[in-house]
Amino acid sequence: MKKIILPSGFTFDYTNLFTSWGVTEADVHTYFDSIAGAVKAAVRVRSTGIVDGHLSKDGQPEAILFPQLPYIEDKNLNNETVLKRLEDLGRHAKEKVDAVVSFGIGGSYLGGKVLFDVHCGEFWNQKSEAERDGYPKLYFSGNNVDPLRTNELIATLKRSAAHKGAPYTVMLILISKSGSTIEPMSNFMVVQKALQEAGIGVEVVAVTDPRTDDKETLLHKLAVQQNWPTFAVPDGVGGRFSVFTEVGLIIGAVVGFNIREFLNGAKAMDEACQGGDPLKNPALLNAVLKYIAAEKYGRIIEIMMPYGDSLKSLSEWYVQLLAESLGKHQPKTDGRYGRTPVVAVGTTDMHAQTQEHQEGRLNKIVSFVKVKDWGTEAVVPHTYDEYKPLKAFSGLDLGVILNTALEANSEALTGDKRFNVTYELPTLSAFHLGEFMFMLCWAIFYEGQLAGVDAFNQPGVEVYKKLLGPKLAANQTEK
Ligand code: PA5
């Protein structure tokens, strides 16, 4: 077995990728110089914030600050003042707020959704206040512009308010770095007006770029004008890395997720991802193997397949991280790079996608995510032991079945020399989640360096935006 096991127990098992029938040692040696270059770039970004070739949307040099996020220090983006303000907001939400609606899209949504799903699970909003330990219900909006869902959300909030029969308070957290993104802003305006008209108490919190110069965001101006408290989407951290900033942490804070432990996990992983030896640095190894698998062996698709329902959004978060960071022009060679990410969840997608993973084109890597100990048990009872097929799994815990299914899937792919890796989290704690997500951030950094792309811009998303504005203007009618 080939594994990197961190002191926390987090494990990266790359046995079925770095092998005689996969990426070989000789392959890795071929890339020795590029690997050394990527390690050097990592040292540089850590100490100076500089990534060669990276420019902001306006074509200006821009610092890359995600490496400092795990460290709660005075001079850093995450410092005690920031953490305390988040914790204060969490306390306020617990004591005074009945429901929160978070408006955001892309990087201003996906990370927070992971924290919510992992900490709260699917049935949070159906739980009693006591079961939620006093924390509010939480809904997401502004991740699309879907009139049906937005109206259903409003109806749901009105129903809850009517059911309570006492003053009901909804906190609207409006998250947008640029401060004018159509999906969150439009939904926010619809929901705010509807709740106010229904006599429901509304509090607004704005999370946006804090600058107050001539580039002040519209949302920041609004917040100042309306006296809304503000939190920062800091400069130097792109949306897809922002789960470790106030953007993601604010969602954790208002539902009682342990944001300090999450950052501690990220810190532990950051420390593990600094060395130049790929066999000891999980992010570097991950990047090297997947880069070579793509370049030399045509494995240009990555299926991110955690086992467990609450981890689907983790896979969705990774889709943005990989696609938006690496699907790019390679300036030095005038080539194109990118690996297409696909969301899958085990065991669900074993009944939908696995056929193709097992027998389809040899163009993909399957990345499994396993939670070793779910911290809960649901043992299948021996109700129908007279039926052999049911007896076969009676007496087993569902978590054991889940993880055994993952092992069987990996073994089946390996049997046909199909590339796959497994990340194992000892438990689904805030710490291990922070570790894993930060490892993936660093892996994307290293792969961007190997591929010669700027992992920190997204010029490709501007093209449709330029077309959308005039099209919307043409649809304006008086309403
Ligand atoms: O990663 C990104 O930069 C994007 O996905 C943005 O997060 C997304 O477009 C939302 O942008 P904003 O936060 O400016 O509303």
Side-chain angles (χ1 to χ4, degrees), residues 285-358:
L285 184 64
N286 188 81
V288 167
L289 297 179
K290 288 179 183 174
Y291 171 68
I292 298 174
E295 290 300 89
K296 184 162 179 198
Y297 299 101
R299 270 38 175 212
I300 56 167
I301 295 173
E302 181 171 1
I303 320 291
M304 180 52 83
M305 191 163 185
Y307 272 56
D309 290 336
S310 55
L311 292 174
K312 184 172 185 185
S313 48
L314 177 69
S315 192
E316 289 167 344
W317 170 82
Y318 182 65
V319 162
Q320 189 205 22
L321 183 67
L322 173 54
E324 217 168 64
S325 302
L326 301 185
K328 306 245 163 94
H329 178 232
Q330 296 164 301
K332 279 193 193 138
T333 56
D334 199 22
R336 302 278 155 184
Y337 188 70
R339 295 188 295 111
T340 304
V342 175
V343 173
V345 172
T347 64
T348 312
D349 285 303
M350 293 170 84
H351 300 262
Q353 295 189 31
T354 293
Q355 166 61 36
E356 203 274 336
H357 304 165
Q358 186 70 45

Coordinates of all heavy atoms in Angstrom, one line a residue, residues 285-358:
L285 N 2.0 15.7 -4.0 CA 1.9 14.4 -4.6 C 0.6 14.2 -5.4 O 0.6 13.8 -6.6 CB 2.0 13.3 -3.5 CG 2.0 11.8 -4.1 CD1 3.2 11.6 -4.9 CD2 1.9 10.8 -2.9
N286 N -0.5 14.7 -4.8 CA -1.8 14.7 -5.5 C -1.7 15.4 -6.8 O -2.2 14.9 -7.9 CB -2.8 15.4 -4.6 CG -4.2 15.3 -5.0 OD1 -4.9 14.3 -4.8 ND2 -4.7 16.3 -5.7
A287 N -1.1 16.6 -6.8 CA -1.0 17.4 -8.0 C -0.1 16.7 -9.1 O -0.5 16.6 -10.2 CB -0.4 18.8 -7.6
V288 N 1.0 16.2 -8.6 CA 2.0 15.6 -9.6 C 1.3 14.4 -10.3 O 1.4 14.3 -11.5 CB 3.3 15.2 -8.8 CG1 4.1 14.3 -9.7 CG2 4.1 16.4 -8.4
L289 N 0.7 13.6 -9.5 CA 0.2 12.3 -10.0 C -1.0 12.6 -11.0 O -1.1 12.1 -12.1 CB -0.3 11.4 -8.9 CG 0.9 10.9 -8.0 CD1 0.3 9.9 -6.9 CD2 2.0 10.1 -8.8
K290 N -1.9 13.5 -10.6 CA -3.0 13.8 -11.4 C -2.6 14.6 -12.7 O -3.2 14.4 -13.7 CB -4.1 14.6 -10.6 CG -4.8 13.6 -9.6 CD -5.8 14.3 -8.8 CE -6.4 13.4 -7.7 NZ -7.3 14.0 -6.8
Y291 N -1.6 15.4 -12.5 CA -1.1 16.2 -13.7 C -0.5 15.2 -14.7 O -0.8 15.3 -15.9 CB -0.1 17.2 -13.2 CG 0.6 17.9 -14.4 CD1 -0.1 18.8 -15.2 CD2 2.0 17.7 -14.6 CE1 0.6 19.4 -16.3 CE2 2.6 18.3 -15.6 CZ 2.0 19.1 -16.5 OH 2.6 19.8 -17.5
I292 N 0.3 14.3 -14.2 CA 1.0 13.4 -15.2 C -0.1 12.4 -15.7 O -0.1 12.1 -16.9 CB 2.1 12.6 -14.5 CG1 3.2 13.5 -14.0 CG2 2.7 11.5 -15.4 CD1 4.3 12.9 -13.2
A293 N -1.0 12.0 -14.9 CA -2.1 11.2 -15.4 C -2.9 11.8 -16.5 O -3.2 11.2 -17.5 CB -3.1 10.8 -14.3
A294 N -3.0 13.1 -16.4 CA -3.7 13.9 -17.5 C -2.8 14.0 -18.7 O -3.2 13.7 -19.9 CB -4.2 15.3 -17.0
E295 N -1.6 14.5 -18.5 CA -0.7 14.8 -19.6 C -0.2 13.6 -20.4 O -0.2 13.6 -21.6 CB 0.5 15.6 -19.1 CG 0.1 17.0 -18.7 CD -0.5 17.9 -19.8 OE1 -1.7 17.8 -19.9 OE2 0.3 18.6 -20.5
K296 N 0.1 12.6 -19.6 CA 0.7 11.4 -20.3 C -0.3 10.3 -20.6 O -0.1 9.6 -21.6 CB 1.9 10.9 -19.4 CG 2.6 9.7 -20.1 CD 3.9 9.4 -19.6 CE 4.5 8.3 -20.4 NZ 5.6 7.6 -19.7
Y297 N -1.3 10.2 -19.8 CA -2.2 9.1 -19.9 C -3.6 9.5 -20.3 O -4.5 8.6 -20.3 CB -2.2 8.2 -18.6 CG -0.8 7.7 -18.3 CD1 0.0 8.3 -17.3 CD2 -0.3 6.6 -19.0 CE1 1.3 7.8 -17.1 CE2 1.0 6.1 -18.7 CZ 1.8 6.7 -17.8 OH 3.0 6.2 -17.5
G298 N -3.8 10.7 -20.5 CA -5.1 11.2 -21.0 C -6.3 11.1 -20.0 O -7.4 11.1 -20.3
R299 N -5.9 11.0 -18.7 CA -7.0 11.0 -17.7 C -7.4 12.4 -17.4 O -6.9 13.0 -16.4 CB -6.4 10.3 -16.4 CG -6.6 8.8 -16.3 CD -6.4 8.0 -17.5 NE -6.5 6.6 -17.3 CZ -5.8 5.7 -18.0 NH1 -5.1 6.0 -19.0 NH2 -6.0 4.4 -17.7
I300 N -8.2 13.0 -18.2 CA -8.6 14.4 -18.1 C -9.9 14.6 -17.4 O -10.4 15.8 -17.5 CB -8.5 15.0 -19.5 CG1 -9.5 14.3 -20.4 CG2 -7.1 15.1 -20.1 CD1 -9.7 15.1 -21.7
I301 N -10.5 13.6 -16.8 CA -11.7 13.8 -16.0 C -11.4 13.3 -14.6 O -10.7 12.3 -14.4 CB -12.8 12.9 -16.7 CG1 -13.2 13.5 -18.1 CG2 -14.1 12.9 -15.8 CD1 -14.2 12.6 -18.8
E302 N -11.9 14.0 -13.7 CA -11.8 13.6 -12.3 C -13.2 13.5 -11.6 O -13.9 14.5 -11.6 CB -10.9 14.5 -11.4 CG -10.8 14.0 -10.0 CD -9.8 14.8 -9.1 OE1 -9.2 15.7 -9.6 OE2 -9.6 14.4 -8.0
I303 N -13.5 12.3 -11.2 CA -14.8 12.0 -10.5 C -14.5 12.2 -9.0 O -13.7 11.4 -8.5 CB -15.3 10.6 -10.7 CG1 -15.1 10.1 -12.2 CG2 -16.7 10.4 -10.2 CD1 -15.9 10.7 -13.2
M304 N -15.1 13.2 -8.4 CA -14.9 13.4 -6.9 C -16.0 12.6 -6.3 O -17.2 13.1 -6.4 CB -14.8 14.8 -6.6 CG -14.6 15.1 -5.1 SD -13.2 14.3 -4.3 CE -11.9 15.4 -4.7
M305 N -15.7 11.5 -5.6 CA -16.8 10.6 -5.1 C -16.7 10.3 -3.6 O -16.2 9.3 -3.2 CB -16.7 9.3 -6.0 CG -17.9 8.4 -5.8 SD -18.0 7.2 -7.1 CE -19.5 6.4 -6.7
P306 N -17.1 11.3 -2.8 CA -17.2 11.0 -1.4 C -18.3 10.0 -1.2 O -19.3 10.0 -1.9 CB -17.5 12.3 -0.8 CG -18.1 13.2 -1.8 CD -17.6 12.6 -3.1
Y307 N -18.2 9.2 -0.1 CA -19.2 8.2 0.3 C -19.9 8.8 1.5 O -19.3 9.0 2.5 CB -18.6 6.9 0.6 CG -18.5 6.0 -0.7 CD1 -17.8 6.4 -1.8 CD2 -19.2 4.8 -0.7 CE1 -17.8 5.6 -2.9 CE2 -19.2 4.0 -1.9 CZ -18.5 4.4 -3.0 OH -18.4 3.7 -4.1
G308 N -21.2 9.1 1.3 CA -22.0 9.8 2.3 C -22.8 11.0 1.8 O -22.2 11.8 1.1
D309 N -24.0 11.0 2.1 CA -24.9 12.1 1.6 C -24.4 13.5 1.9 O -24.5 14.4 1.1 CB -26.3 11.9 2.1 CG -27.0 10.7 1.5 OD1 -26.6 10.3 0.4 OD2 -27.9 10.2 2.1
S310 N -24.0 13.7 3.1 CA -23.7 15.1 3.6 C -22.4 15.6 2.8 O -22.1 16.8 3.0 CB -23.5 15.1 5.1 OG -22.5 14.2 5.5
L311 N -21.8 14.8 2.1 CA -20.5 15.2 1.4 C -20.7 15.6 0.0 O -19.7 15.9 -0.7 CB -19.4 14.1 1.6 CG -19.0 14.0 3.0 CD1 -18.0 12.8 3.1 CD2 -18.3 15.2 3.5
K312 N -22.0 15.5 -0.5 CA -22.2 15.9 -1.9 C -21.7 17.3 -2.2 O -21.1 17.6 -3.2 CB -23.6 15.7 -2.3 CG -23.9 16.0 -3.7 CD -25.3 15.6 -4.2 CE -25.4 15.8 -5.7 NZ -26.8 15.6 -6.1
S313 N -22.0 18.2 -1.3 CA -21.6 19.6 -1.5 C -20.1 19.8 -1.5 O -19.5 20.7 -2.1 CB -22.3 20.5 -0.6 OG -22.1 20.1 0.7
L314 N -19.4 18.9 -0.8 CA -17.9 18.9 -0.8 C -17.4 18.7 -2.3 O -16.5 19.3 -2.8 CB -17.4 17.9 0.1 CG -15.8 17.7 0.2 CD1 -15.2 19.0 0.8 CD2 -15.4 16.5 0.9
S315 N -18.1 17.7 -2.9 CA -17.8 17.4 -4.3 C -18.1 18.6 -5.2 O -17.3 18.9 -6.1 CB -18.6 16.2 -4.7 OG -18.1 15.6 -5.9
E316 N -19.2 19.3 -4.9 CA -19.6 20.4 -5.7 C -18.6 21.6 -5.5 O -18.3 22.3 -6.5 CB -21.0 20.9 -5.4 CG -22.0 19.9 -5.9 CD -23.4 20.0 -5.3 OE1 -23.6 20.7 -4.3 OE2 -24.4 19.4 -5.9
W317 N -18.2 21.7 -4.3 CA -17.2 22.8 -4.0 C -15.9 22.5 -4.8 O -15.3 23.4 -5.4 CB -16.9 22.8 -2.5 CG -15.7 23.6 -2.1 CD1 -15.7 25.0 -1.9 CD2 -14.4 23.2 -1.8 NE1 -14.5 25.4 -1.5 CE2 -13.6 24.3 -1.4 CE3 -13.8 21.9 -1.8 CZ2 -12.3 24.2 -1.1 CZ3 -12.4 21.8 -1.5 CH2 -11.7 23.0 -1.1
Y318 N -15.5 21.2 -4.8 CA -14.3 20.8 -5.5 C -14.4 21.0 -7.0 O -13.4 21.4 -7.7 CB -13.9 19.4 -5.2 CG -12.6 18.9 -5.9 CD1 -11.4 19.5 -5.5 CD2 -12.6 18.0 -6.9 CE1 -10.2 19.1 -6.2 CE2 -11.5 17.6 -7.5 CZ -10.3 18.2 -7.2 OH -9.1 17.8 -7.8
V319 N -15.6 20.9 -7.6 CA -15.8 21.1 -9.0 C -15.4 22.5 -9.4 O -14.7 22.7 -10.3 CB -17.3 20.8 -9.4 CG1 -17.6 21.4 -10.7 CG2 -17.5 19.3 -9.4
Q320 N -15.8 23.5 -8.5 CA -15.5 24.9 -8.8 C -14.0 25.1 -8.7 O -13.3 25.7 -9.5 CB -16.2 25.8 -7.9 CG -16.0 27.3 -8.4 CD -16.2 28.3 -7.3 OE1 -16.1 28.0 -6.1 NE2 -16.5 29.5 -7.7
L321 N -13.4 24.5 -7.6 CA -12.0 24.7 -7.3 C -11.2 24.2 -8.5 O -10.2 24.9 -9.0 CB -11.6 24.0 -6.0 CG -10.2 24.1 -5.6 CD1 -9.9 25.5 -5.1 CD2 -9.9 23.1 -4.4
L322 N -11.5 23.0 -9.0 CA -10.7 22.4 -10.1 C -11.0 23.1 -11.4 O -10.1 23.6 -12.1 CB -11.0 20.9 -10.2 CG -10.4 20.2 -11.3 CD1 -8.9 20.4 -11.4 CD2 -10.7 18.7 -11.2
A323 N -12.3 23.3 -11.7 CA -12.6 23.8 -13.1 C -12.2 25.2 -13.2 O -11.6 25.6 -14.2 CB -14.1 23.6 -13.3
E324 N -12.5 26.1 -12.2 CA -12.3 27.5 -12.4 C -10.8 27.8 -12.2 O -10.3 28.8 -12.7 CB -13.1 28.3 -11.4 CG -13.7 29.6 -11.9 CD -14.7 30.2 -11.0 OE1 -14.5 30.6 -9.9 OE2 -15.9 30.3 -11.5
S325 N -10.1 27.0 -11.5 CA -8.7 27.3 -11.3 C -7.8 26.8 -12.5 O -6.9 27.5 -12.9 CB -8.1 26.6 -10.0 OG -8.9 27.0 -8.9
L326 N -8.1 25.6 -13.0 CA -7.1 25.0 -13.9 C -7.6 24.9 -15.4 O -6.8 24.6 -16.3 CB -6.8 23.6 -13.5 CG -6.1 23.5 -12.0 CD1 -5.7 22.1 -11.7 CD2 -4.9 24.5 -11.9
G327 N -8.9 25.1 -15.7 CA -9.3 25.1 -17.1 C -9.0 26.3 -17.8 O -9.8 27.3 -17.9
K328 N -7.8 26.4 -18.3 CA -7.2 27.7 -18.8 C -6.3 27.6 -20.0 O -5.7 26.5 -20.3 CB -6.4 28.3 -17.7 CG -7.1 28.5 -16.3 CD -7.3 29.9 -16.0 CE -8.4 30.0 -14.9 NZ -7.9 30.1 -13.5
H329 N -6.0 28.8 -20.5 CA -4.9 29.0 -21.5 C -3.6 28.9 -20.8 O -3.4 29.3 -19.7 CB -5.1 30.4 -22.0 CG -4.1 30.8 -23.0 ND1 -3.4 32.0 -22.9 CD2 -3.7 30.2 -24.2 CE1 -2.6 32.1 -24.0 NE2 -2.7 31.0 -24.7
Q330 N -2.6 28.2 -21.5 CA -1.3 28.1 -21.0 C -0.4 29.2 -21.7 O 0.0 28.9 -22.9 CB -0.7 26.7 -21.2 CG -1.5 25.7 -20.4 CD -1.2 24.3 -20.9 OE1 -1.4 24.0 -22.1 NE2 -0.7 23.4 -20.0
P331 N -0.2 30.3 -21.1 CA 0.5 31.4 -21.9 C 1.8 31.0 -22.5 O 2.1 31.4 -23.6 CB 0.6 32.5 -20.8 CG -0.1 32.1 -19.6 CD -0.4 30.6 -19.7
K332 N 2.6 30.3 -21.7 CA 4.0 30.0 -22.2 C 4.0 29.2 -23.5 O 4.8 29.3 -24.4 CB 4.8 29.3 -21.2 CG 5.4 30.3 -20.1 CD 6.4 29.7 -19.3 CE 6.7 30.7 -18.1 NZ 6.8 30.0 -16.8
T333 N 3.1 28.2 -23.6 CA 3.1 27.3 -24.7 C 1.9 27.6 -25.7 O 1.8 26.9 -26.7 CB 2.9 25.9 -24.2 OG1 1.7 25.8 -23.4 CG2 4.1 25.4 -23.4
D334 N 1.1 28.5 -25.3 CA -0.2 28.8 -26.1 C -1.0 27.6 -26.2 O -1.8 27.4 -27.1 CB 0.2 29.4 -27.4 CG -1.1 30.1 -28.0 OD1 -1.9 30.5 -27.2 OD2 -1.2 30.2 -29.3
G335 N -0.9 26.7 -25.2 CA -1.8 25.5 -25.1 C -3.0 25.7 -24.3 O -3.3 26.8 -23.8
R336 N -3.7 24.6 -24.0 CA -4.9 24.6 -23.1 C -4.7 23.5 -22.1 O -4.3 22.4 -22.4 CB -6.1 24.3 -23.9 CG -6.4 25.2 -25.0 CD -7.1 26.5 -24.6 NE -6.8 27.6 -25.5 CZ -7.2 28.8 -25.3 NH1 -7.9 29.1 -24.2 NH2 -7.0 29.8 -26.1
Y337 N -5.1 23.8 -20.8 CA -5.1 22.8 -19.8 C -6.5 22.7 -19.2 O -7.3 23.6 -19.3 CB -4.0 23.1 -18.7 CG -3.8 22.0 -17.8 CD1 -3.3 20.8 -18.2 CD2 -4.3 22.0 -16.5 CE1 -3.1 19.7 -17.3 CE2 -4.2 21.0 -15.6 CZ -3.6 19.8 -16.0 OH -3.4 18.7 -15.1
G338 N -6.7 21.7 -18.4 CA -7.9 21.6 -17.7 C -8.2 20.1 -17.5 O -7.8 19.2 -18.3
R339 N -8.8 19.8 -16.4 CA -9.4 18.4 -16.1 C -10.8 18.6 -15.7 O -11.1 19.5 -14.9 CB -8.6 17.7 -15.0 CG -7.1 17.4 -15.4 CD -6.4 16.5 -14.4 NE -6.3 17.1 -13.1 CZ -6.9 16.7 -12.0 NH1 -7.7 15.7 -12.1 NH2 -6.7 17.3 -10.8
T340 N -11.7 17.9 -16.3 CA -13.1 18.1 -16.1 C -13.6 17.4 -14.8 O -13.5 16.2 -14.7 CB -13.9 17.6 -17.3 OG1 -13.5 18.3 -18.4 CG2 -15.4 17.9 -17.1
P341 N -14.0 18.2 -13.8 CA -14.5 17.5 -12.6 C -16.0 17.1 -12.7 O -16.8 17.7 -13.4 CB -14.4 18.7 -11.6 CG -14.5 19.9 -12.4 CD -14.1 19.6 -13.8
V342 N -16.2 16.0 -12.0 CA -17.6 15.4 -12.1 C -18.0 15.1 -10.6 O -17.2 14.6 -9.8 CB -17.6 14.1 -12.9 CG1 -19.0 13.5 -12.8 CG2 -17.3 14.4 -14.3
V343 N -19.2 15.5 -10.3 CA -19.8 15.2 -8.9 C -20.3 13.8 -8.9 O -21.1 13.4 -9.8 CB -20.9 16.2 -8.6 CG1 -21.6 15.8 -7.3 CG2 -20.4 17.6 -8.5
A344 N -19.9 13.0 -7.9 CA -20.5 11.7 -7.7 C -20.6 11.5 -6.2 O -19.8 12.1 -5.4 CB -19.7 10.6 -8.3
V345 N -21.5 10.7 -5.8 CA -21.7 10.4 -4.3 C -21.8 8.9 -4.2 O -22.6 8.3 -5.0 CB -22.9 11.1 -3.7 CG1 -23.1 10.6 -2.3 CG2 -22.7 12.6 -3.7
G346 N -21.1 8.3 -3.3 CA -21.3 6.8 -3.1 C -22.2 6.6 -1.9 O -22.2 7.4 -1.0
T347 N -23.0 5.6 -1.9 CA -23.1 4.6 -2.9 C -24.0 5.0 -4.1 O -24.0 4.3 -5.1 CB -23.6 3.3 -2.3 OG1 -25.0 3.5 -1.9 CG2 -22.8 2.7 -1.2
T348 N -24.7 6.1 -3.9 CA -25.8 6.5 -4.9 C -25.3 6.3 -6.3 O -26.0 5.7 -7.1 CB -26.2 8.0 -4.6 OG1 -26.4 8.1 -3.2 CG2 -27.4 8.4 -5.4
D349 N -24.2 6.9 -6.7 CA -23.8 6.9 -8.1 C -23.1 5.6 -8.5 O -22.8 5.5 -9.7 CB -22.9 8.1 -8.3 CG -23.7 9.4 -8.4 OD1 -24.7 9.5 -9.2 OD2 -23.5 10.3 -7.6
M350 N -23.0 4.7 -7.6 CA -22.6 3.3 -8.1 C -23.7 2.7 -9.0 O -23.4 1.9 -9.8 CB -22.3 2.4 -6.9 CG -21.1 2.9 -6.1 SD -20.9 2.0 -4.5 CE -20.1 0.5 -5.1
H351 N -24.9 3.3 -8.7 CA -26.0 2.8 -9.5 C -26.4 3.7 -10.7 O -27.4 3.6 -11.2 CB -27.2 2.7 -8.5 CG -27.0 1.7 -7.4 ND1 -27.4 0.4 -7.4 CD2 -26.3 1.9 -6.2 CE1 -27.1 -0.1 -6.2 NE2 -26.4 0.7 -5.5
A352 N -25.4 4.6 -11.0 CA -25.7 5.5 -12.1 C -24.4 5.7 -12.9 O -24.5 5.6 -14.1 CB -26.2 6.9 -11.5
Q353 N -23.3 6.0 -12.3 CA -22.1 6.4 -13.0 C -21.0 5.2 -13.1 O -20.2 5.2 -14.0 CB -21.4 7.5 -12.4 CG -22.1 8.8 -12.4 CD -21.3 10.0 -11.9 OE1 -20.1 10.0 -12.1 NE2 -21.9 11.0 -11.3
T354 N -21.1 4.3 -12.1 CA -20.0 3.4 -12.0 C -19.8 2.5 -13.2 O -18.7 2.1 -13.6 CB -20.1 2.5 -10.7 OG1 -19.9 3.4 -9.6 CG2 -19.1 1.4 -10.6
Q355 N -20.9 2.1 -13.9 CA -20.8 1.4 -15.1 C -19.7 2.0 -16.1 O -18.9 1.4 -16.6 CB -22.1 1.3 -15.8 CG -22.1 0.8 -17.3 CD -21.5 -0.6 -17.4 OE1 -21.7 -1.5 -16.6 NE2 -20.8 -0.8 -18.5
E356 N -19.9 3.3 -16.2 CA -19.0 4.1 -17.1 C -17.6 4.2 -16.6 O -16.6 4.1 -17.3 CB -19.6 5.5 -17.4 CG -19.1 6.1 -18.7 CD -17.8 6.8 -18.6 OE1 -17.5 7.3 -17.5 OE2 -17.1 7.0 -19.6
H357 N -17.5 4.3 -15.3 CA -16.1 4.4 -14.7 C -15.4 3.1 -14.9 O -14.2 3.0 -15.0 CB -16.2 4.7 -13.2 CG -16.9 5.9 -12.8 ND1 -17.4 6.2 -11.5 CD2 -17.3 7.0 -13.5 CE1 -18.0 7.3 -11.5 NE2 -18.0 7.8 -12.7
Q358 N -16.2 2.0 -14.8 CA -15.6 0.6 -14.9 C -15.3 0.2 -16.3 O -14.3 -0.6 -16.5 CB -16.6 -0.3 -14.2 CG -16.0 -1.7 -14.0 CD -14.9 -1.9 -13.0 OE1 -15.0 -1.3 -11.9 NE2 -13.9 -2.6 -13.3

